[in-house]
Amino acid sequence: MASSYGYPFEQQHCLSISQFSRPDIETLLALGEYYLDLSVQKSPDNRILTGKTLVNLFFENSTRTQKSFEIAGRRLGADVINMEVANSSVKKGETLLDTAATLNAMNPDMLVVRHGSSGAQALLAQKVSGSVINAGDGMHEHPTQALLDALTIRRHFGKDFGGLRLAICGDITHSRVARSNVQLLNMLGCEVRLVGPPTLIPSDADRWGVEVYHNMEDGLEGCDVVMMLRLQLERMSGAFVPSKREYFHFYGLDRAKLAYAKPGAMVMHPGPMNRGVEIASSIADDPDVSLITHQVESGVAMRMGILHALSEAQDGVA
Ligand code: ASP
């Protein structure tokens, strides 16, 4: 049977941007856009996950990502279960693979997992029969965030990513969002720049297909999109920046620094934001320059699109 969107999407899991072909990505973005156009409508017609179970398994804290998957799953008719890791056997010393075996015996169709170790979801995916969706693994990848960011950009700037110049700024070293976004935006043909202090740019960044800048003035020059990242203090051992105040002075986005970008440039941030550290409130809250709430809205729609594609692939509808 042909898929409802006319493309043979055959992926069982969503683990990494690198697993997808360009047509896979275009299909996912088109599905995300479809759900965004419906403005996340709740009619029974779209309950294509009815009878399926989605389990949210978050070993690291999350507000928006977990809720976003929960809402997306429910809007498509799935039974959604949030596993409280803090109260589960994991806290009693159960290993990831034992947790996987237990969950697998309950037959979830979709397993949305966030874990502090890079590669944890890829390991889980080998042990369970349902689809595993990576909602962030350590400093490695956050593919659904990159997809929702691309959807947000496409919504604002149109489908031609080719002419866009983007700067991803701040704590790149500890950011799975940056790693997924660089791969996806490169695949879509954008010019991608990384901007940050040398201590927060990974030493292998010159092999990522990006240009690296250490000051905002040069890095933001002519950019259409400025994507700010949180200082991930919880992943830092030791001090990577002298002080938050000094960091804001050199790398925090305010009006003066945004003025280096192209007129009409838009600002993004995956959240949660550290206001006054990497971004000024006056920028984050200005709807004329900030796409931050649009990112949250695109998040639900994009995740509906991803669940839709994975569900049809599971059912052999390709
Ligand atoms: N929410 C994003 C993540 O989980 C970004 C962040 O935490 O700074 O990676």
Side-chain angles (χ1 to χ4, degrees):
M1 195 180 13
S3 66
S4 60
Y5 42 84
Y7 168 76
F9 183 87
E10 285 168 344
Q11 305 278 348
Q12 190 192 342
H13 307 288
C14 173
L15 299 172
S16 159
I17 291 298
S18 60
Q19 79 183 74
F20 296 118
S21 64
R22 175 90 190 243
D24 285 345
I25 294 290
E26 298 287 358
T27 300
L28 290 172
L29 290 177
L31 276 168
E33 190 133 55
Y34 167 77
Y35 284 110
L36 204 49
D37 278 338
L38 291 183
S39 205
V40 229
Q41 66 130 291
K42 298 151 200 166
S43 94
D45 303 350
N46 273 312
R47 306 213 158 207
I48 61 149
L49 258 61
T50 300
K52 296 204 175 189
T53 304
L54 181 154
V55 175
N56 267 327
L57 183 62
F58 279 62
F59 294 88
E60 281 187 341
N61 290 340
S62 163
T63 314
R64 81 206 69 225
T65 306
Q66 179 171 343
K67 288 289 167 234
S68 181
F69 271 108
E70 186 175 346
I71 293 169
R74 285 191 203 282
R75 289 199 175 148
L76 292 175
D79 289 323
V80 179
I81 287 144
N82 293 312
M83 292 272 298
E84 299 299 338
V85 173
N87 301 322
S88 76
S89 346
V90 173
K91 277 278 161 322
K92 299 179 187 160
E94 187 175 80
T95 65
L96 181 62
L97 292 182
D98 284 339
T99 309
T102 307
L103 280 173
N104 201 35
M106 299 176 198
N107 261 321
D109 301 282
M110 307 281 173
L111 205 49
V112 180
V113 186
R114 171 169 289 186
H115 199 280
S117 303
S118 303
Q121 289 84 335
L123 185 66
L124 268 181
Q126 293 168 23
K127 306 286 173 191
V128 298
S129 46
S131 295
V132 176
I133 299 157
N134 180 2
D137 61 330
M139 303 190 309
H140 180 228
E141 280 232 38
H142 195 348
T144 68
Q145 176 74 43
L147 282 159
L148 78 85
D149 287 341
L151 179 58
T152 309
I153 294 169
R154 167 168 150 152
R155 244 349 221 209
H156 188 85
F157 290 94
K159 287 186 188 169
D160 184 15
F161 286 85
L164 294 179
R165 179 182 288 173
L166 274 105
I168 306 179
C169 309
D171 183 359
I172 313 290
T173 293
H174 301 99
S175 177
R176 52 198 178 202
V177 173
R179 285 178 178 77
S180 288
N181 258 309
V182 166
Q183 291 181 68
L184 182 54
L185 295 167
N186 270 338
M187 191 197 291
L188 292 170
C190 299
E191 180 190 326
V192 186
R193 297 173 166 193
L194 301 181
V195 189
T199 47
L200 294 176
I201 303 275
S203 51
D204 64 345
D206 52 339
R207 279 174 288 168
W208 292 16
V210 294
E211 280 179 57
V212 175
Y213 292 84
H214 296 305
N215 73 73
M216 295 286 272
E217 182 170 7
D218 295 336
L220 266 53
E221 193 268 314
C223 283
D224 301 278
V225 178
V226 182
M227 191 181 286
M228 300 307 298
L229 298 174
R230 183 174 66 90
L231 269 188
Q232 304 221 350
L233 298 171
E234 77 277 17
R235 298 191 206 282
M236 295 182 189
S237 48
F240 281 67
V241 293
S243 73
K244 288 183 188 164
R245 183 192 294 223
E246 189 165 319
Y247 183 79
F248 183 76
H249 177 72
F250 288 107
Y251 294 101
L253 189 66
D254 55 12
R255 291 274 164 208
K257 294 194 194 76
L258 186 58
Y260 305 138
K262 220 185 212 173
M266 299 304 284
V267 176
M268 300 175 73
H269 192 304
M273 283 184 276
N274 286 319
R275 290 168 180 267
V277 179
E278 70 264 357
I279 189 165
S281 286
S282 56
I283 298 284
D285 300 334
D286 178 352
D288 290 336
V289 296
S290 170
L291 289 174
I292 297 170
T293 49
H294 294 273
Q295 288 174 271
V296 179
E297 192 187 355
S298 297
V300 174
M302 192 61 249
R303 285 165 180 137
M304 289 173 84
I306 293 165
L307 294 173
H308 182 141
L310 291 173
S311 173
E312 289 205 3
Q314 276 179 354
D315 296 342
V317 183

